[in-house]
Amino acid sequence: MTAKAKRKRNTAYSTHEYTITKMDPTGTVIEANRVIGSRDAFHTQTDAEGYGFLVVVHNVTTDTEEYRSEGL
């Protein structure tokens, strides 16, 4: 074969790296965690919100903010 195989962009969200930042209502950063995979990011986000923190989820792989709690 002479044609090169096309490379696909990384679209498998299970391999993306996420930063989950916990904040208090004043906007002060409490803690920042890094996880691999959108499922882990979602569970970390919901756990933090269950404890009363405001959360920002940033996809490091695509350099986009995917979620921000209301009030931030």
Side-chain angles (χ1 to χ4, degrees):
M1 294 176 88
T2 58
K4 291 183 180 179
K6 291 184 179 179
R7 291 186 181 194
K8 292 183 180 181
R9 291 187 329 169
N10 184 2
T11 57
Y13 288 101
S14 61
T15 61
H16 284 201
E17 183 176 351
Y18 293 86
T19 301
I20 293 87
T21 306
K22 296 179 190 176
M23 299 181 164
D24 64 6
T26 63
T28 305
V29 175
I30 304 296
E31 181 181 15
N33 294 325
R34 285 204 166 186
V35 296
I36 302 294
S38 59
R39 183 170 291 168
D40 288 339
F42 175 74
H43 290 299
T44 305
Q45 166 203 332
T46 54
D47 288 345
E49 288 180 330
Y51 286 113
F53 293 107
L54 300 175
V55 179
V56 175
V57 178
H58 183 262
N59 186 332
V60 177
T61 306
T62 61
D63 194 27
T64 56
E65 184 178 290
E66 294 199 357
Y67 178 81
R68 180 178 287 262
S69 295
E70 289 187 30
L72 283 177

